[in-house]
Amino acid sequence: MMKILGKGLLRNIMVREGFKTHEIMLVVVLNVFETNKNLKIDKILKEFPNIKTIIINVNTEKTNVVLSRKNIVVYGEGTIEDKLDNYIFKISPNSPGKFICIQTTK
């Protein structure tokens, strides 16, 4: 069982990838909002060029809920796209889990 101490800056890191587009979203969940000067965006993008957007999510609640509704886009548009047949979906950090997968394609 994990005990929530409410200490520290970093709460979680979430990565989302478009199944068909391979676009990547990086979400860094912090306990408090810090300016992104410590987030080495150039270094991250050089190492992972498929990253389309980087978002800081600020979650100050003492709970096991991963994301709050407060998203701060520090790179890109704040969404990634994925495709299902002729449809294009915009996926945000708070979108429901991976809803486009291999089982839904023909």
Side-chain angles (χ1 to χ4, degrees), residues 1 11-12 18 39 44 46 52 57 61 87 91 96 105:
M1 175 183 263
R11 286 185 68 141
N12 212 328
L39 191 60
I44 293 169
K46 185 176 179 184
K52 184 180 177 194
N57 179 275
E61 300 296 319
Y87 299 99
I91 301 168
T105 59

Side-chain angles (χ1 to χ4, degrees), residues 70-84:
K70 184 171 183 177
N71 294 308
I72 301 156
V73 179
V74 294
Y75 173 78
E77 296 179 13
T79 60
I80 59 171
E81 291 184 347
D82 209 356
K83 297 177 182 176
L84 178 61

Side-chain angles (χ1 to χ4, degrees), residues 4 6 11 30-31 58-65 68:
I4 299 172
R11 286 185 68 141
L30 302 178
N31 240 348
V58 182
N59 187 351
T60 58
E61 300 296 319
K62 291 187 178 183
T63 177
N64 63 351
V65 175
S68 74

Side-chain angles (χ1 to χ4, degrees), residues 13-16 24-28 44 51 53-56:
I13 295 175
M14 179 177 75
V15 177
R16 289 192 146 182
I24 295 173
M25 171 190 298
L26 175 65
V27 182
V28 180
I44 293 169
I51 291 179
T53 190
I54 300 174
I55 300 158
I56 294 176

